[in-house]
Amino acid sequence: MKAAVMRENNAPLELEEVAIDDPAPGEVLVKTAASGICHSDLTVIEGGLPYPPPAVLGHEPSGVVEAIGEGVTDFVPGDHVIGCLSSWCGSCKFCTDGRPYLCPSQYLGRAEGLAPRLSASNGDAIGQFANLSSFAEMMLCPERSLVKIREDMPLDRASLIGCGVTTGLGAALNTVNIPAGASVVIIGLGGVGLSALQGARIVGAGKIIAVDAQAWKFGLAKDLGATDCIDATDGDPVAAVHALTEGGADFVFECIGLVPTVQQAVAMTGRGGTTVLVGVVPMTEMVPISAADLVLQEKKVTGSYMGSNRFRFDMPKYVDFYLDGRLRLDEMISARLSLDEINDGFDRMRKGEVARQVIVFD
Ligand code: APR
Ligand code: ZN
Ligand code: ZN
């Protein structure tokens, strides 16, 4: 099958012929229908999230089940599925206390002793990112990386739910409780931020203030529910939020993953408010914030990982939200690309020219 392989960091992906193994017990072979390009894929390419090359990236997929391994009971060939990196074991502390998205088993990969799921034409193993590797025509995944969805859901739009939508929407719907009427700020209007924004709209937030450095995104943000937009390159965005919210917002979602915007997010949060960190700051960086500010104003700062998802429960619901018109996905897709065009897609993402881009397969 054809796949885009990361051979080294900070270099274009290479389009190669890659071998994919047959499903082992508990595994499912999926024909990839579509894969969104998520900023975390770029962060891996740039070395901000460590994952050793060679590897096939891509972790926001939809597809159709092609074959199942022994013991697989949740899927049959022909099922339409979304893939998610939050695979879970079902028995650890996090799975049993209701937070399967924190399950450590999601990093384990294939059981020891088995051939690699992916290999190059010379037989060398190729890393499978997040148990998915969706920048490829086929995916071989643990059963618990997949969820079956309605067949009337278009698969290109379904792919977005695999990471960005679940991350952003889940940050607003699962990680925190936003009371109706609360003021919300979203910093960063990529696929993740626009989904958090829609989550705020769906729960009935009051002011929804969208902040980005690219003013062209504001039309889209307003269309999706923003009440106010702030151009981060035009004056001080913190002062602008304070002016709109009488001294700071109830909830601020940082959806970029940069040190200065994390600091801005805390500063934009009002007394008693909550800062939600959704963007992944490179692991090599630390963020200085005022601890006194947190204490004296009782601000809370929380991380939100993968939308605090229980994806087998959440994703079919998000599909329903799309099909009943509450979740808007069509507007979020800036471009559909073929796998051959993937490096152009990353270039456009680096320049901030796009909301979400989706690779579609035949
Ligand atoms: N101030 C304001 N906006 C900015 C700034 C800045 N200094 N720098 C970048 N932005 C905006 C970009 O213009 C873009 O609209 O942030 C947005 C980021 O969007 P994407 O690159 O599409 O990122 P996305 O895929 O949404 O992911 C965001 O969430 O899951 C994590 O790892 C992912 O950290 C990443 C974050
Ligand atoms: Zn992602
Ligand atoms: Zn577990």
Side-chain angles (χ1 to χ4, degrees):
M1 64 161 181
K2 189 156 71 172
V5 182
M6 175 180 73
R7 284 275 160 199
E8 53 181 319
N9 290 112
N10 291 304
L13 303 179
E14 307 263 359
L15 285 148
E16 292 180 27
E17 205 49 44
V18 166
I20 188 160
D21 206 19
D22 294 327
E27 291 180 348
V28 178
L29 184 67
V30 178
K31 187 172 187 304
T32 316
S35 173
I37 306 182
C38 176
H39 203 112
S40 304
D41 294 307
L42 183 57
T43 308
V44 174
I45 293 172
E46 291 176 342
L49 278 172
Y51 195 82
V56 177
L57 305 180
H59 63 279
E60 190 174 270
S62 64
V64 178
V65 172
E66 181 93 0
I68 56 172
E70 205 184 299
V72 168
T73 52
D74 295 345
F75 300 96
V76 293
D79 280 348
H80 289 200
V81 294
I82 295 174
C84 179
L85 62 82
S86 303
S87 61
W88 79 101
C89 77
S91 55
C92 74
K93 168 183 154 189
F94 302 102
C95 285
T96 49
D97 83 359
R99 295 178 296 170
Y101 59 95
L102 295 177
C103 177
S105 84
Q106 66 195 265
Y107 307 109
L108 297 182
R110 208 174 202 189
E112 258 176 62
L114 293 173
R117 290 194 182 121
L118 303 176
S119 47
S121 42
N122 66 1
D124 288 353
I126 293 184
Q128 185 195 31
F129 185 58
N131 283 312
L132 295 166
S133 287
S134 59
F135 296 154
E137 291 171 323
M138 306 288 295
M139 300 177 287
L140 182 57
C141 311
E143 181 173 24
R144 286 176 172 174
S145 296
L146 302 171
V147 55
K148 184 171 152 60
I149 56 163
R150 293 164 59 169
E151 288 186 15
D152 54 346
M153 177 68 188
L155 284 167
D156 55 350
R157 279 142 276 178
S159 70
L160 300 192
I161 294 175
C163 178
V165 166
T166 290
T167 299
L169 203 53
L173 300 183
N174 294 336
T175 309
V176 291
N177 275 315
I178 303 176
S183 55
V184 172
V185 176
I186 310 290
I187 310 177
L189 303 174
V192 173
L194 291 171
S195 301
L197 189 155
Q198 296 204 59
R201 189 199 71 229
I202 289 168
V203 298
K207 277 207 164 108
I208 304 178
I209 303 167
V211 183
D212 204 285
Q214 304 266 346
W216 71 266
K217 298 211 159 168
F218 297 155
L220 179 57
K222 286 215 160 134
D223 197 25
L224 296 179
T227 56
D228 302 87
C229 295
I230 294 173
D231 182 345
T233 63
D234 179 19
D236 176 10
V238 175
V241 166
H242 279 247
L244 283 168
T245 54
E246 295 170 15
D250 298 322
F251 294 88
V252 180
F253 294 84
E254 200 281 352
C255 301
I256 309 173
L258 294 174
V259 173
T261 47
V262 169
Q263 291 175 307
Q264 287 170 1
V266 177
M268 287 170 181
T269 305
R271 242 165 221 284
T274 303
T275 314
V276 187
L277 303 182
V278 186
V280 184
V281 177
M283 288 193 175
T284 46
E285 311 226 26
M286 295 290 144
V287 186
I289 53 172
S290 161
D293 218 34
L294 301 193
V295 176
L296 301 177
Q297 299 188 42
E298 201 172 274
K299 294 187 187 183
K300 294 178 194 66
V301 178
T302 179
S304 173
Y305 181 52
M306 281 303 290
S308 310
N309 76 77
R310 290 135 306 154
F311 75 85
R312 286 256 179 113
F313 170 71
D314 292 330
M315 289 186 180
K317 186 172 64 182
Y318 298 161
V319 166
D320 289 344
F321 282 0
Y322 171 75
L323 290 170
D324 71 21
R326 262 179 293 182
L327 173 63
R328 311 254 303 274
L329 299 177
D330 299 41
E331 295 83 349
M332 284 175 45
I333 300 181
S334 306
R336 289 174 174 77
L337 317 174
S338 69
L339 187 61
D340 299 328
E341 298 170 306
I342 189 163
N343 290 308
D344 302 333
F346 280 113
D347 288 343
R348 281 195 286 268
M349 176 181 271
R350 275 192 200 93
K351 291 185 200 143
E353 290 175 3
V354 284
R356 211 46 158 194
Q357 303 176 94
V358 178
I359 295 173
V360 286
F361 295 81
D362 306 328

